[in-house]
Amino acid sequence: MGNIKLELKEKIIEQLNLEDMTVDEIADKDPLFGEGLGLDSIDALELIVMLDKDYGIKLADPKEGKKIFESIETMAAYITEHGKK
Amino acid sequence: MPWVSTTRYSFVKKRCLKLPKDHYIKSYCHIQENSVFLNGQPVFENGSSDFSTFIKSAYKHLETDYPKFFKMDNLSKLAFLAADLLLQHEKTTPEKEENIAIVLSNKASSLDTDRKYQRSIQDKDNFYPSPGVFVYTLPNICIGEISIKYKLYSENSFFIFDNFNPVYLSDYCDNLLQNRKADKVLCGWVDIDKEQYKAFLYIIDDEGPILHNTEELNQLF
């Protein structure tokens, strides 16, 4: 699980072009949207594509995303349970 | 009429004949060949590098401090940096709520980003289109990026021409100002395709050092 969290931080920084950010600056429980990392709606779509491409997870209900993408911790837990790659 | 200055005479003549008022280029900037110029003076240069490296180092050198910059496509980065340099020079801030229209133009439209997006969808076995790339597959998105930072709710247009077209642009901008659709216009050319790029932006106002006409624009371009 620890490895997935680190991997997710690296992927998020790279794929969402968070150039001025390092993995050390993202805490596992930081909110990804709003006050935390400040991600926006387009970033949310990128995260959905990332789940599909890198972990074989297709989100059938976009509303699910709200809970899954709360933080690195919630994402890692979901991937551990549902990941196919 | 020896007792009337030429400027005063021109002003009176225009008022009496109801001729269109003159407008002026208040400031201008160029970004091309790894260099940034403001009003003809170099403000940044970065030897030989590709566009991505150059524009990132220019962003840092100019202390732009706008993290969303890194999410933009190359056309938006080019337009945003040139516009930001000019608007900061003019001491424009989001709080001022100025009525500055934005009129931009180029040749390649958003082709640079369109190709990037196309590459992400051409392999049906590896079909993962990026929403973050897709949103930039229109040229006028760069106007949105400038407007968002400066909170401009103004008139805007993006034209596609074969070449820089000062006749069309100056007519269009004079019309906006004449009809009070805007108090100022941020106008110009911002073009990128592969590694070929050029930005020439200028601010048109009621006052300024250079008369706004096609001859001056051709010379500055």
Side-chain angles (χ1 to χ4, degrees):
Chain A
M1 181 101 148
N3 281 347
I4 291 183
K5 286 179 187 170
L6 180 64
E7 186 180 284
L8 276 175
K9 290 175 188 176
E10 287 168 347
K11 282 179 191 286
I12 285 174
I13 288 172
E14 192 199 330
Q15 292 184 23
L16 304 186
N17 297 308
L18 306 176
E19 291 254 348
D20 286 343
M21 201 163 261
T22 64
V23 287
D24 299 334
E25 290 173 296
I26 307 174
D28 294 351
K29 293 190 178 182
D30 276 352
L32 297 181
F33 294 86
E35 286 178 12
L37 266 67
L39 303 186
D40 60 22
S41 56
I42 302 298
D43 295 322
L45 295 173
E46 287 286 355
L47 291 179
I48 291 172
V49 173
M50 189 178 90
L51 279 190
D52 184 8
K53 187 179 177 183
D54 297 346
Y55 302 101
I57 299 171
K58 286 188 193 294
L59 289 189
D61 180 7
K63 285 180 190 164
E64 277 185 292
K66 201 172 178 185
K67 278 192 172 179
I68 299 165
F69 300 137
E70 238 173 56
S71 65
I72 293 290
E73 193 167 85
T74 56
M75 273 188 85
Y78 191 85
I79 290 166
T80 306
E81 196 178 336
H82 299 92
K84 290 169 192 164
K85 285 187 183 176
Chain B
M1 258 182 283
W3 44 273
V4 179
S5 73
T6 315
T7 313
R8 178 78 185 142
Y9 176 68
S10 167
F11 176 75
V12 171
K13 188 177 156 194
K14 276 176 187 285
R15 287 292 293 268
C16 294
L17 297 174
K18 292 191 176 173
L19 291 174
K21 189 180 159 192
D22 283 334
H23 298 114
Y24 296 86
I25 297 167
K26 200 164 183 199
S27 51
Y28 60 95
C29 82
H30 292 85
I31 300 181
Q32 58 188 343
E33 295 170 359
N34 293 334
S35 303
V36 182
F37 296 86
L38 177 62
N39 295 326
Q41 300 300 311
V43 291
F44 178 70
E45 198 177 333
N46 183 18
S48 58
S49 61
D50 59 15
F51 177 78
S52 297
T53 312
F54 159 72
I55 206 77
K56 187 175 166 183
S57 47
Y59 165 91
K60 292 198 168 164
H61 178 83
L62 298 170
E63 297 176 352
T64 312
D65 192 26
Y66 191 66
K68 198 173 177 255
F69 177 82
F70 296 110
K71 291 175 180 286
M72 297 177 196
D73 73 335
N74 285 340
L75 177 64
S76 290
K77 281 178 179 166
L78 183 61
F80 180 89
L81 208 66
D84 197 56
L85 181 63
L86 274 181
L87 293 170
Q88 289 214 25
H89 179 69
E90 294 300 322
K91 306 208 181 326
T92 302
T93 64
E95 293 73 33
K96 272 188 176 176
E97 291 186 19
E98 292 186 76
N99 186 6
I100 305 174
I102 305 179
V103 179
L104 301 183
S105 60
N106 77 4
K107 180 179 181 181
S109 183
S110 56
L111 194 56
D112 198 58
T113 302
D114 298 348
R115 283 200 199 93
K116 188 177 175 184
Y117 184 71
Q118 202 272 334
R119 282 195 294 272
S120 76
I121 58 171
Q122 68 184 12
D123 180 2
K124 61 181 178 185
D125 296 325
N126 190 26
F127 188 87
Y128 297 105
S130 162
V133 176
F134 177 73
V135 293
Y136 288 101
T137 56
L138 281 172
N140 57 338
I141 302 302
C142 65
I143 293 179
E145 296 291 4
I146 300 162
S147 301
I148 288 168
K149 184 179 176 190
Y150 284 93
K151 294 187 177 160
L152 300 174
Y153 303 96
S154 46
E155 291 282 330
N156 64 75
S157 298
F158 198 112
F159 295 103
I160 316 294
F161 299 123
D162 276 337
N163 295 294
F164 178 57
N165 190 336
V167 175
Y168 191 96
L169 289 176
S170 58
D171 274 358
Y172 191 88
C173 294
D174 281 340
N175 204 278
L176 282 176
L177 294 164
Q178 207 67 44
N179 291 302
R180 299 188 175 177
K181 297 284 185 190
D183 298 329
K184 299 178 192 176
V185 185
L186 170 65
C187 184
W189 177 263
V190 55
D191 194 45
I192 181 162
D193 191 13
K194 295 174 184 166
E195 284 297 311
Q196 297 296 312
Y197 62 91
K198 176 168 182 164
F200 165 56
L201 299 192
Y202 48 95
I203 290 180
I204 312 163
D205 202 346
D206 287 339
E207 293 173 352
I210 304 166
L211 191 61
H212 176 238
N213 61 32
T214 54
E215 291 76 24
E216 294 286 0
L217 287 172
N218 269 324
Q219 200 162 347
L220 290 174
F221 184 76

